[in-house]
Amino acid sequence: MARRIRLASASSRRLDWLTNYLLSQAEIEAIPLVGEEQSMDGEVSLQVTRVLDDKISRARLQYFLESQNAVEHDSIPPPNLWIVSDTLVEDPNDISVALGQPENELSALRMLLDLSGRRHLVWSGTAILDFEHSEPMVTRFVESAIVEFETLDESSLNELLSSGSWKGKAGGYDLAGHAASFTQLVEGEEVTVLGFASKAIEEIRKIIDYSDSNS
């Protein structure tokens, strides 16, 4: 029987990637965490860690409340394996500034012009919360990757903007989408840029394999 997993994220890219990676090994439901995202200060490498810690706390509380509700209403409980993740694109001009998701086409243009012809860091933090135990087990990983943009001319910028691929993407681009033609991964793993720490993905596979061998 496939293990149920909660991907606590609204990212369709994360869901697609995880679904393709695990194939039929898991039944994945994607439901974002309740509550507002917290803004953090400091270097982006620290921001992603702090955001991840906040998401872990919210996930623990949300799991507890959903479990209590399931008992009270005799309904299906939430999955006992949860994944939370956060990805930040570091501004090449300032290690303390994270390029978030563009609000509109103009802000996407500004981000792409910032990244044009330059290298930048992408940070992803991922935590696995296993509630199968009496005391939840939390494993976390933070990784970075280096992405380089070619110099974007007017035609390239128009293509990226008109495609709409910047929508909902940190830094205003999608490495697995239209931006693939204008970027290269210099260092690190592609999955880190797409939304997960690669070592976390390896750990999820181990957990599922262990569950299968003991079922």
Side-chain angles (χ1 to χ4, degrees), residues 7-8 47 71 73 86 90 102 123 132 137 153 165 180 206 208:
L7 174 60
Q47 289 182 40
V71 171
H73 295 87
D86 193 70
E90 186 176 304
W123 296 88
E132 195 170 35
M137 294 181 63
D153 58 20
S165 60
K206 290 178 185 177
I208 291 176

Side-chain angles (χ1 to χ4, degrees), residues 45-64:
S45 57
L46 296 177
Q47 289 182 40
V48 73
T49 300
R50 292 167 180 163
V51 170
L52 189 62
D53 287 342
D54 174 67
K55 288 188 174 183
I56 290 170
S57 297
R58 288 158 57 199
R60 290 174 70 116
L61 177 59
Q62 190 168 326
Y63 174 82
F64 173 76

Side-chain angles (χ1 to χ4, degrees), residues 17 21 124 126 141 143 188-192 196-203:
W17 197 96
Y21 178 78
S124 275
T126 302
F141 305 87
E143 296 175 2
E189 303 293 331
E190 181 180 23
V191 67
T192 304
F196 293 112
S198 62
K199 285 184 170 48
I201 297 300
E202 295 171 12
E203 185 64 22

Side-chain angles (χ1 to χ4, degrees), residues 28-44:
I28 306 168
E29 61 176 40
I31 301 177
L33 289 172
V34 174
E36 295 293 325
E37 294 286 331
Q38 299 294 316
S39 59
M40 303 294 175
D41 297 322
E43 295 183 7
V44 175

Side-chain angles (χ1 to χ4, degrees), residues 136-193:
M137 294 181 63
V138 180
T139 313
R140 71 194 75 197
F141 305 87
V142 175
E143 296 175 2
S144 65
I146 299 175
V147 176
E148 183 175 46
F149 259 91
E150 67 178 54
T151 300
L152 300 172
D153 58 20
E154 185 177 348
S155 174
S156 302
L157 287 166
N158 283 334
E159 180 179 338
L160 288 169
L161 293 172
S162 62
S163 72
S165 60
W166 54 269
K167 295 178 181 178
K169 301 296 188 298
Y173 74 94
D174 182 4
L175 188 71
H178 280 75
S181 302
F182 308 100
T183 57
Q184 65 171 327
L185 184 64
V186 177
E187 184 179 301
E189 303 293 331
E190 181 180 23
V191 67
T192 304
V193 185

